[in-house]
């Protein structure tokens, strides 16, 4: 004798699965948000690709490279310290998270606009000639 699942069981299971997926989207602020599987020495960009006063996001590498001043390059994790969303833009001197409006200064990764209360973790890069590489 086999038992078929009831409508209630199906709804509860589907709802729990949906809730789990929805909550997992933003990550965990205690997780290792700075981890990346990209190897040191990997070229991210040419220096000419990073605008002065702005930056560029490398989504696959989970890195944001900025150029706060002419010839000064910085790199940070692209994972927001608020709830683990991936930042999506760099504009007006800030790195911007779309999830809850957090913004970070391009010069040092510090919080420019909450709700994040921790800076973006810095990443090590090496500028060699016109090449920007992960260090």
């Amino acid at each position: 004798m086999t038992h078929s699942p009831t409508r209630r069981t199906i709804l509860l299971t589907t709802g729990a699965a949906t809730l789990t997926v929805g909550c997992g989207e933003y990550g965990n602020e205690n997780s290792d948000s700075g981890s990346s599987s990209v190897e040191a020495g990997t070229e991210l960009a040419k220096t000419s690709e990073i605008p002065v006063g702005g930056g560029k996001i490398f989504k696959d590498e989970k890195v944001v490279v900025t150029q706060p001043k002419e010839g000064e390059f910085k790199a940070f994790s692209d994972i927001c310290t608020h709830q683990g969303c991936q930042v999506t833009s760099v504009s007006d001197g800030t790195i911007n998270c779309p999830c809850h409006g957090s913004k970070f200064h391009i010069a040092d990764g510090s919080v420019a606009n909450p709700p994040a209360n921790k800076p973006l973790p810095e990443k090590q890069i090496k500028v060699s000639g016109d090449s920007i590489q992960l260090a």
Side-chain angles (χ1 to χ4, degrees):
M1 174 180 219
T2 59
H3 293 280
S4 298
T6 66
R7 182 171 186 250
R8 177 177 288 169
T9 302
I10 291 171
L11 289 174
L12 288 173
T13 304
T14 304
T18 302
L19 181 61
T20 301
V21 169
C23 289
E25 179 181 346
Y26 296 118
N28 178 341
E29 79 178 80
N30 295 324
S31 69
D32 182 13
S33 62
S35 67
S36 174
S37 61
V38 181
E39 294 182 25
T42 300
E43 182 176 84
L44 292 171
K46 299 293 184 191
T47 55
S48 60
E49 296 175 45
I50 311 300
V52 176
K56 185 173 179 180
I57 299 167
F58 299 90
K59 188 174 181 174
D60 292 340
E61 293 82 2
K62 299 189 182 318
V63 175
V64 180
V65 176
T66 64
Q67 187 176 187
K69 297 177 189 172
E70 180 81 38
E72 178 185 337
F73 297 92
K74 302 282 186 166
F76 307 97
S77 168
D78 76 341
I79 304 300
C80 180
T81 57
H82 176 237
Q83 287 192 344
C85 292
Q86 199 165 23
V87 299
T88 58
S89 68
V90 181
S91 62
D92 300 322
T94 60
I95 301 164
N96 310 304
C97 180
C99 294
H100 301 104
S102 293
K103 296 181 182 222
F104 304 88
H105 294 286
I106 64 170
D108 59 7
S110 64
V111 176
N113 189 64
N117 60 11
K118 296 177 188 172
L120 291 176
E122 191 169 353
K123 296 283 195 169
Q124 297 301 310
I125 55 172
K126 175 182 164 186
V127 179
S128 180
D130 69 344
S131 175
I132 300 172
Q133 304 170 347
L134 289 174

